[in-house]
Amino acid sequence: NVARIGVLEANVVDLWDNVYSNATTLATLKTDHEDNVVRIGVLEANVVDLWDNVYSNASTLATLKTDHEDNVVRIGVLEANVVDLWDNVYSNASTLATLKTDHENNVVRIGVLEANVVDLWDNVYSNASTLATLKTDHEDNVVRIGVLEANVVDLWDNVYSNASTLATLKTDHEDNVVRIGVLEANVVDL
């Protein structure tokens, strides 16, 4: 029995050592657990923030998509307007050529009328009035062509500006797609 008691006493000493060691380990685990509780709280708050950002980005992307679609329609309208303006410019050029020819013809006719001055005063006055009208029409057309040319320049400026804006929106959209992918991966990791 003495020998067995000696063994038991040695075992009791070892048990006390283990109890103290376990107490230290438990204290460390308790601290780690409390740290993890805090970190989980931070992660939960971050996940909430991430979801808010995801929803915000979805709204922004929807707005950008709508704006892009609107710009596509507006560019189509501008392209059609430019085609119409070019048609008008060509039409006016044709009208001006006709007016120039008419003017040249009238000069010839005036020469004939001058030869027949005695008999043709009435025709001379009529042609003078017609020439004044043609000159006014010609001058009006010159102004209108200038306005059309300026409008075409403005339209081209707008088309280039819209192209630049669309390129920026496309880049922003692609960046957002990448960022959303990262956020989704982060949320999955959480």
Side-chain angles (χ1 to χ4, degrees), residues 80-188:
N81 287 341
V82 168
V83 168
D84 290 342
L85 286 171
W86 276 112
D87 290 344
N88 288 333
V89 168
Y90 288 127
S91 174
N92 286 343
S94 173
T95 301
L96 286 172
T98 301
L99 287 174
K100 182 179 176 188
T101 301
D102 290 348
H103 173 71
E104 292 165 353
N105 290 341
N106 285 339
V107 169
V108 172
R109 289 172 67 198
I110 288 169
V112 171
L113 287 172
E114 287 171 341
N116 297 304
V117 165
V118 173
D119 297 329
L120 300 174
W121 273 109
D122 290 341
N123 288 333
V124 168
Y125 286 123
S126 174
N127 285 340
S129 174
T130 300
L131 285 172
T133 301
L134 288 174
K135 182 180 177 188
T136 301
D137 290 347
H138 171 74
E139 292 166 352
D140 289 345
N141 284 340
V142 168
V143 172
R144 290 170 65 196
I145 288 169
V147 170
L148 288 170
E149 289 170 340
N151 287 343
V152 168
V153 169
D154 290 343
L155 286 171
W156 275 113
D157 289 344
N158 287 336
V159 169
Y160 287 128
S161 174
N162 285 344
S164 173
T165 301
L166 286 173
T168 301
L169 286 174
K170 181 180 176 191
T171 301
D172 290 346
H173 171 72
E174 291 167 353
D175 289 345
N176 283 341
V177 169
V178 171
R179 290 172 66 199
I180 288 169
V182 170
L183 288 171
E184 289 170 338
N186 288 341
V187 169
V188 169

Side-chain angles (χ1 to χ4, degrees), residues 15 17 28-29 37 40 51 59-60 62 75 80 93 136 140 154 180:
L15 284 173
D17 289 343
T28 301
L29 288 174
V37 168
I40 288 169
W51 275 113
S59 174
T60 301
I75 288 168
T136 301
D140 289 345
D154 290 343
I180 288 169

